[in-house]
Amino acid sequence: MINFIDLPLDLLPVILHHLALPRHFHEICLVNKTFNRFATPRLYERISVYSWHKHGKEKVILLFLSLSRYPHVAQHVRRLELRDFPKYLGSSDGTDTLEMVVDGLKNCTNLHSCTWTRDGSLNSKILEALQCSQSLQTLEINGRDAGNYDPQLLLRFIGLRKISLIMPSSSVISVLRPWLQKTGTSLTSLTIICKTSPIITNAKLELVAPYLSRLKHFHLTGCSKVTHEGIESILSANGDGIVSLGLEGLSPNFDVSQFRLYCARTNAFRRLRSITLTVNHQTPLNNWMNEIVALLPASVPLETFQVYSSGKFMEDPATERLWSDLAIAHQDRLTRFSIHRILISLNIIEDICRRCTRLEQLFIVIEQGSLGKLGTCLALAQNLRVIHVNYPMKASQGENAIPVLPELDAQEIIERCNTNITQFGCNTRVWQVNREILLDRHGAPVGIKRRVMRYEGLDIPEPFLVVRT
């Protein structure tokens, strides 16, 4: 009788490729030495700790204890994502915790990507330890140094492909120009996330623009002093054409009309695949919508469109024309259509699902009472994989208001959709959709049964990343 242990080793990497959760790789490591050799690199290649993880800070300390003691294990770490971390690293049992963390980072010599976003947890010793990796390409950090680290140390990170700064201080922004100058033409992605901050201005963007000639992805959030002129300076220095652009919560003086004219004149959007916008409530809605439609004509190769209302929730039926015009213009290319804090009707959802034949991801806001009919609309999108629905609680207050969709209702909606659905979410709840092959009594496949289950993916579901201001 053939046992699982007799499995040809050539097949083991293929099987491991379909696993994602660390606990699965941990269990495989315990099978035998051979399985351990294949599973250990997968167990450590991506490490993620989020603020909602139970005992996250304790797990971080145990993680770095392993990385500091076992360099051969630390060499497997490719992606380190720490969104939770102790602010105070003291000594326990005679062990200096900070030195242990530093030693662990120094052992991660093959680190490609590092995310360290907990406010107040980053210090100079940690930044210096990260510079031991010659492979580092992505750096996402909390930019509020607050005296915890020396911003000048950032100048030593050269050759990066992606930089993300969250809530940067003025001292960090002051080194941005020389930092980007040292980074050179390798940088292809720059993200700056503020919270209604005046630190980033048009003048500062003009100063760094010459060093962003190869930029493909540019995203600004909460930079309240940046207008269309600052964005134009970045796009003017870009010779290849921007691929992804995020303009979220910028200055109310951002002139969409002037920006549209600039983009049309320079053909700045000739390679644009993705755009994220917030509604400018200082501009009359009809004017703003007309400019957005003109900004994104059919000649723009747009695949992802994301828009949301920062601040107040919108229920204006006039927005329907904007969704319809965009769907018509980009129906052959759109793969993601994402609308947040703006109500959308079932008629428009049906039109989008019917027109956009390549649609894979749909994020929408509807009335709670429309959920029962939603499945019929979604069934028209044959390539749809990810769906997230929000319904405004203010509009559905009363005895029948349900803040979290029952799992049985989610299951009912999924059963009306195509068989490609892998994820479904509603408000603050997200499910993954598993598929089970049904067999007849002879063992022949006769169908597929889909079942919603608790989301277990490592990545934060996209809808929770979009709305940031």
Side-chain angles (χ1 to χ4, degrees), residues 265-308:
R265 183 175 68 254
T266 61
N267 199 20
F269 282 0
R270 60 189 178 277
R271 296 183 62 204
L272 188 71
R273 300 289 189 275
S274 173
I275 191 167
T276 301
L277 303 168
T278 50
V279 177
N280 187 344
H281 295 290
Q282 303 300 316
T283 303
L285 181 60
N286 282 330
N287 294 349
W288 183 83
M289 290 192 304
N290 290 336
E291 294 297 342
I292 296 302
V293 171
L295 178 68
L296 301 170
S299 58
V300 175
L302 193 67
E303 297 176 359
T304 295
F305 176 77
Q306 301 182 144
V307 64
Y308 60 90

Side-chain angles (χ1 to χ4, degrees), residues 230-405:
I231 305 302
E232 289 171 9
S233 66
I234 298 294
L235 298 182
S236 295
N238 188 285
D240 297 331
I242 203 74
V243 175
S244 175
L245 183 64
L247 308 175
E248 311 173 45
L250 304 187
S251 170
N253 296 321
F254 192 107
D255 192 326
V256 184
S257 177
Q258 290 299 318
F259 186 59
R260 171 183 61 81
L261 292 174
Y262 164 81
C263 292
R265 183 175 68 254
T266 61
N267 199 20
F269 282 0
R270 60 189 178 277
R271 296 183 62 204
L272 188 71
R273 300 289 189 275
S274 173
I275 191 167
T276 301
L277 303 168
T278 50
V279 177
N280 187 344
H281 295 290
Q282 303 300 316
T283 303
L285 181 60
N286 282 330
N287 294 349
W288 183 83
M289 290 192 304
N290 290 336
E291 294 297 342
I292 296 302
V293 171
L295 178 68
L296 301 170
S299 58
V300 175
L302 193 67
E303 297 176 359
T304 295
F305 176 77
Q306 301 182 144
V307 64
Y308 60 90
S309 171
S310 59
K312 64 181 181 180
F313 180 81
M314 293 181 60
E315 301 183 61
D316 196 326
T319 58
E320 308 265 291
R321 180 170 56 83
L322 172 61
W323 319 138
S324 180
D325 288 347
L326 289 172
I328 292 172
H330 304 282
Q331 57 187 344
D332 296 328
R333 291 183 299 268
L334 277 178
T335 59
R336 178 192 294 178
F337 200 86
S338 179
I339 302 173
H340 298 264
R341 295 181 185 162
I342 306 174
L343 199 67
I344 184 171
S345 71
L346 287 178
N347 289 335
I348 293 296
I349 295 173
E350 180 180 353
D351 185 52
I352 292 172
C353 290
R354 178 182 287 111
R355 287 183 183 276
C356 302
T357 56
R358 297 184 58 201
L359 189 67
E360 297 179 1
Q361 301 179 52
L362 181 64
F363 308 137
I364 50 177
V365 181
I366 64 174
E367 294 282 9
Q368 182 183 346
S370 301
L371 283 171
K373 300 178 181 178
L374 179 62
T376 303
C377 301
L378 299 178
L380 298 172
Q382 294 303 307
N383 292 309
L384 198 60
R385 296 186 297 105
V386 178
I387 309 163
H388 196 97
V389 181
N390 286 302
Y391 50 80
M393 296 308 300
K394 289 184 180 180
S396 58
Q397 285 177 346
E399 296 181 358
N400 297 322
I402 304 175
V404 178
L405 186 70

Side-chain angles (χ1 to χ4, degrees), residues 68 89-103 125:
S68 62
L89 295 176
S91 300
S92 60
D93 299 328
T95 302
D96 189 316
T97 307
L98 177 56
E99 289 304 319
M100 180 183 68
V101 171
V102 169
D103 290 342
K125 287 189 175 181

